[in-house]
Amino acid sequence: MTPNPEFVQVQNLKKYFPVRKGLLQRVTDHVRAVDDVSFTVREGETLGMVGESGCGKTTVGRTMLRLVEPTDGRVIFDGQDVFRLSGASLKSMRRNMQIIFQDPYASLDPRMPIGDSVMEGLNIHNVGEPRQRFEIMLDTLKKVGLEDYHARRYPHEFSGGQRQRIGIARALALRPKFIVCDEPVSALDVSIQSQVLNILKDLQSEFGLTYLFIAHNLSVVEHISDRVAVMYLGKMVELTNRDELFSNPLHPYTRALMSAIPVPDPNLRRERIILKGDVPSPLNPPKGCRFHPRCPIAESICAQQEPEFRQASPDHWVACWKA
């Protein structure tokens, strides 16, 4: 079967958070966390999403799953509009769309054995008989490198890496088609990161999973992703395949991110691009290109008109007047 090139379609996604002030808590402004973002995730691929803290990448992932309700836009998953679903149809859709949280300890109930946490989704969706759910839970724990006896233990009895494995097991238990990985290795030691990444790749190969992999670390993104999307201040600025992005970044913000990647050779030096100033506030983003106040190659048009997110070459999209 040919993989679906538009398995997940995000169309003009917006998420604005209201700012309330005064005694009556009237809405006075909005934080434009995600502002008109569009992209697709192909079936069976890993789409990496990178950007500075506060750029909106986590909000994109959570809004796609309707953990946060959208302000505007559409998300088409496997031919269905996620934002138009409700009731039983939304519950059925959630079974196929799961998330691995950045902080597995905060997402686990400290009073519940981890076996019960992994089975929670199976119980909610009435998957099989109780005995079958128990067997699925044990099998899922083994697939992420844990043993049967771990099912009776509580979250505080595990290390950070083990807790992240539990988070992966929770997402995997329902055998979903699409998983949002929200910075799943950012809080782990480097050696543990590699183990968790290898687990994710093995599971993807075994079950045909599709990932949206949100991360800060470009080295991690390069290791696991097929394509990479770069976000800045609520906007998508570049999207292409992994090799193209790392060999030929077109957007000046992407180039600055690339220059910060450490080189594992003391004899080689990378030309560092230092961005001046702070990231503007999403409450009042700059007019025109949002990156222009910090851009080393900005021109007058950059401060006046917002660049279109356009196709610069086959499978390479960028939002920049100079690219």
Side-chain angles (χ1 to χ4, degrees):
M1 183 180 294
T2 304
N4 183 357
E6 295 184 339
F7 184 59
V8 184
Q9 302 173 52
V10 178
Q11 302 173 356
N12 308 110
L13 183 64
K14 295 181 181 180
K15 178 57 188 177
Y16 298 168
F17 292 98
V19 176
R20 301 178 185 274
K21 291 183 179 180
L23 185 64
L24 300 178
Q25 291 292 287
R26 289 195 175 96
V27 176
T28 59
D29 210 336
H30 289 86
V31 175
R32 296 163 178 80
V34 179
D35 197 3
D36 198 16
V37 168
S38 299
F39 61 92
T40 61
V41 187
R42 299 164 183 168
E43 188 174 10
E45 80 164 350
T46 299
L47 176 66
M49 183 169 284
V50 300
E52 292 171 289
S53 295
C55 71
K57 53 189 186 298
T58 292
T59 305
V60 167
R62 295 190 176 210
T63 307
M64 288 172 66
L65 304 184
R66 281 185 66 179
L67 299 179
V68 177
E69 289 297 323
T71 301
D72 197 7
R74 300 174 73 201
V75 171
I76 311 297
F77 172 71
D78 209 12
Q80 291 186 280
D81 190 338
V82 176
F83 296 163
R84 290 184 178 273
L85 299 178
S86 61
S89 57
L90 178 59
K91 181 179 177 181
S92 177
M93 178 65 71
R94 288 193 187 282
R95 181 174 175 176
N96 290 314
M97 303 176 75
Q98 294 292 308
I99 185 169
I100 301 169
F101 292 99
Q102 179 179 1
D103 184 353
Y105 190 63
S107 65
L108 293 171
D109 188 337
R111 298 167 296 179
M112 183 183 290
I114 65 104
D116 291 349
S117 291
V118 174
M119 279 196 297
E120 194 170 17
L122 299 170
N123 294 331
I124 290 171
H125 289 274
N126 296 314
V127 177
E129 299 297 323
R131 183 65 192 176
Q132 290 176 301
R133 297 171 200 165
F134 186 77
E135 293 297 332
I136 291 172
M137 179 269 292
L138 293 180
D139 179 62
T140 305
L141 288 180
K142 288 181 180 178
K143 289 187 181 301
V144 299
L146 298 174
E147 300 298 334
D148 293 0
Y149 62 84
H150 286 132
R152 300 185 296 273
R153 294 186 178 179
Y154 291 83
H156 72 272
E157 299 181 72
F158 295 91
S159 67
Q162 288 176 318
R163 285 199 288 262
Q164 195 57 277
R165 292 169 189 251
I166 297 165
I168 295 171
R170 287 182 71 192
L172 184 67
L174 286 165
R175 301 299 186 263
K177 298 178 181 177
F178 175 62
I179 298 179
V180 174
C181 306
D182 184 13
E183 302 191 39
V185 298
S186 62
L188 306 178
D189 293 337
V190 174
S191 59
I192 306 300
Q193 284 185 14
S194 63
Q195 295 175 19
V196 172
L197 291 174
N198 288 333
I199 287 172
L200 289 172
K201 294 185 78 171
D202 291 344
L203 293 173
Q204 183 177 40
S205 177
E206 182 175 353
F207 295 105
L209 298 171
T210 303
Y211 293 144
L212 174 65
F213 191 91
I214 298 166
H216 282 105
N217 192 327
L218 282 166
S219 299
V220 169
V221 170
E222 184 179 15
H223 174 71
I224 198 170
S225 301
D226 299 299
R227 291 188 302 146
V228 183
V230 183
M231 284 193 66
Y232 182 80
L233 204 63
K235 289 279 190 181
M236 189 84 73
V237 297
E238 192 161 2
L239 172 63
T240 187
N241 66 72
R242 174 191 60 200
D243 295 336
E244 173 72 9
L245 187 83
F246 282 84
S247 64
N248 183 34
L250 297 180
H251 199 281
Y253 176 63
T254 309
R255 293 181 197 142
L257 290 179
M258 296 296 180
S259 74
I261 301 175
V263 180
D265 186 340
N267 296 318
L268 293 178
R269 292 189 178 274
R270 191 191 299 271
E271 184 181 350
R272 188 77 166 86
I273 301 174
I274 306 297
L275 297 178
K276 298 179 180 179
D278 297 322
V279 180
S281 170
L283 263 173
N284 186 26
K287 184 181 177 183
C289 174
R290 296 191 174 183
F291 184 60
H292 86 263
R294 306 173 71 198
C295 181
I297 59 171
E299 296 182 351
S300 57
I301 191 173
C302 303
Q304 298 166 4
Q305 298 181 36
E306 183 178 334
E308 179 188 1
F309 191 61
R310 59 181 178 81
Q311 189 170 13
S313 62
D315 204 28
H316 197 156
W317 299 75
V318 66
C320 180
W321 289 112
K322 300 292 294 294

